[in-house]
Amino acid sequence: MRTLADVDWERWSPAVRATLLFVVRGGRILLIRKKRGLGAGKINGPGGKLDPGETPLAGAIREVQEEIGVTPTGVEQRGEIRFQFTDGLALHGCVFLARDCTGRLRETDEATPCWTAVDRIPYAQMWADDVFWMPSLLAGRKFSGRALFDGDALLDQCFETLPADHRFEP
């Protein structure tokens, strides 16, 4: 697999369902430096795998609470991404935007949190596909996309903006 066309998207089925959640307020975005697991060492939003029977919204909120100690508020799903890795991992990610959070930020074994100015997002330290969809997220637009990775290397990607009234499937 070297391009998105090499993946049978009609039969594609994710082995993992996961979430990402970004709190954006006052011109700043809450990011984490991930300490372990997929993407260890990268900067990202808090998130992780869904528990059996858990909705993406519930999982996104739980992951933020577990990883950095705050509870996001004003949460809306803004995107979905189908990730395919050349090693066979297929991951469906639901991306959420929150307008605020309550509680006290804390570092955990999973992540180190940090507020960053929206105009200074460190894309070079993030997954390589983030630069293609993050502007839509920050503008409040809904999006959908696919990304093909070989380890950390982005081989191909395709993202599109969705209509404002688009409803994501649970």
Side-chain angles (χ1 to χ4, degrees):
M1 286 186 284
R2 303 308 296 166
T3 71
L4 291 174
D6 297 331
V7 178
D8 183 354
W9 294 105
E10 293 295 318
R11 292 187 179 161
W12 186 86
S13 180
V16 176
R17 295 187 183 276
T19 64
L20 283 173
L21 189 147
F22 297 88
V23 177
V24 178
R25 71 172 184 211
R28 298 188 316 158
I29 186 169
L30 181 54
L31 300 172
I32 63 167
R33 181 168 304 274
K34 193 158 167 57
K35 293 183 178 182
R36 62 183 182 195
L38 184 65
K42 292 188 181 299
I43 292 179
N44 207 339
K49 296 177 187 174
L50 293 178
D51 289 338
E54 189 174 44
T55 67
L57 176 61
I61 292 169
R62 175 187 53 76
E63 286 287 344
V64 173
Q65 292 168 331
E66 290 176 0
E67 288 187 1
I68 56 174
V70 296
T71 300
T73 59
V75 180
E76 295 179 28
Q77 185 172 355
R78 287 289 167 188
E80 65 181 350
I81 306 171
R82 292 181 285 171
F83 295 98
Q84 182 62 56
F85 289 81
T86 58
D87 68 2
L89 175 62
L91 186 149
H92 180 263
C94 295
V95 183
F96 292 86
L97 178 67
R99 293 298 175 191
D100 206 348
C101 60
T102 61
R104 185 178 169 121
L105 275 180
R106 64 180 166 81
E107 183 173 350
T108 66
D109 292 342
E110 291 277 333
T112 302
C114 62
W115 285 101
T116 303
V118 170
D119 62 356
R120 301 187 89 163
I121 293 174
Y123 288 113
Q125 298 176 54
M126 300 170 79
W127 284 98
D129 64 300
D130 292 2
V131 70
F132 296 102
W133 55 263
M134 186 74 71
S136 289
L137 176 83
L138 295 171
R141 294 189 299 267
K142 293 182 178 179
F143 65 92
S144 178
R146 296 172 293 169
L148 176 63
F149 280 90
D150 183 3
D152 285 352
L154 179 64
L155 301 178
D156 199 5
Q157 57 76 31
C158 177
F159 289 90
E160 64 181 342
T161 301
L162 300 172
D165 62 352
H166 178 82
R167 292 189 178 269
F168 294 99
E169 294 183 28

